[in-house]
Amino acid sequence: MADFPATVDLQIADHVAVVTINRPDARNAVDASVANGLAAALDEVESRPDVSVGILTGAGGNFCAGMDLKAFVRGEVVRLPDRGFAGVTQFVSRKPWIAALEGYALAGGFEIALWADLIVATVDTKVGLPEVKRGLVANAGGLVRLPRQMPSRIAAELVLTGDIVPASQLQPFGIVNRLVAAGQALEEARQIALKIASNGPLAVAASKRVLQESIDWPRAEMFERQNEITLPVFASADAKEGASAFAEKRAPVWRGE
């Protein structure tokens, strides 16, 4: 496993990777060290065949307060080429990611969460895109992802007011998959991750790709484009293994091929 800065931790068990932003004294705000550490951690997860799912979380009771404004003033680079803010928000991963939110998930921190495929938050979690209050804009995904993931007028209110709101307020709009008690976000995310990790990795990767890319597909081309991605899965050894395991009433042994 690669070496990571002290500001980012990576733990792997049961085919699940947990990546933790570890700057609790700064509410896990992103400086150059965090950005480079997260980029390295995501690369590690992406390259490892023994990892099926990733979880992103934060240490010390907060997810991430966004960009470290002091680091910004110092000129630290927190947006990496082709990877976006924190080395995350423009990164394309074949594997599913779950954001486990505690405490504050603000500005770029909330945008990191919006990058993930699923979000688990607690009843105490506060989210928001307050960039406009600092003369900045939420261009790490907030402006383009939020209105695709919830009603556009609700998204506009969050963006234009910069208000910070309870995550529970956004659950009815589908931003949050699970809402749990304080301190339980990571464990809930882990339970979801274990369910995903028990499935065929080729099937999961193809399904994720179609879910993400098909938003922009013309209706007339949807099934043709989908079939290009999904039909190879039906011809895979894993597909045969899945069917055999079902017939034999045993757990499948996936090979990812």
Side-chain angles (χ1 to χ4, degrees), residues 179-228:
L179 197 66
V180 297
Q184 296 301 307
L186 178 56
E187 180 56 31
E188 184 71 13
R190 195 188 305 275
Q191 294 306 311
I192 299 172
L194 289 172
K195 289 183 180 181
I196 296 172
S198 71
N199 298 327
L202 294 180
V204 169
S207 298
K208 168 174 171 164
R209 184 178 169 191
V210 172
L211 284 169
Q212 290 190 328
E213 295 182 11
S214 62
I215 294 173
D216 299 319
W217 289 350
R219 183 177 297 272
E221 300 176 12
M222 285 195 304
F223 281 94
E224 180 181 358
R225 293 194 182 192
Q226 174 186 258
N227 288 343
E228 290 177 2

Side-chain angles (χ1 to χ4, degrees), residues 8 19 21 30 34-43 56 63-64 78-93 97 99 108-117 140-141 145 208:
V8 173
V19 178
I21 306 173
V30 176
V34 170
N36 286 291
L38 286 175
L42 265 61
D43 283 343
L56 271 172
F63 181 67
C64 174
V78 296
R79 297 173 185 269
L80 305 186
D82 301 321
R83 304 187 66 119
F85 175 72
V88 175
T89 57
Q90 291 174 236
F91 180 70
V92 179
S93 175
W97 283 86
F110 189 30
E111 290 172 299
I112 292 172
L114 293 174
W115 167 85
D117 301 284
R145 285 198 172 106
K208 168 174 171 164

Side-chain angles (χ1 to χ4, degrees), residues 3-10 18-41 56-60 62-64 68 71 74 76-78 86 88 112:
D3 292 329
F4 301 99
T7 54
V8 173
D9 179 68
L10 171 62
V18 178
V19 178
T20 304
I21 306 173
N22 187 30
R23 291 190 74 209
D25 292 343
R27 289 182 176 173
N28 300 317
V30 176
D31 61 2
S33 174
V34 170
N36 286 291
L38 286 175
L56 271 172
T57 193
N62 287 294
F63 181 67
C64 174
D68 186 326
R74 290 194 300 267
E76 291 190 23
V77 176
V78 296
V88 175
I112 292 172

Side-chain angles (χ1 to χ4, degrees), residues 139-164:
N139 72 342
L143 298 181
V144 294
R145 285 198 172 106
L146 196 61
R148 292 178 179 222
Q149 297 180 18
M150 67 186 301
S152 60
R153 287 187 176 84
I154 307 300
E157 182 177 349
L158 284 171
V159 169
L160 300 178
T161 64
D163 284 348
I164 296 170

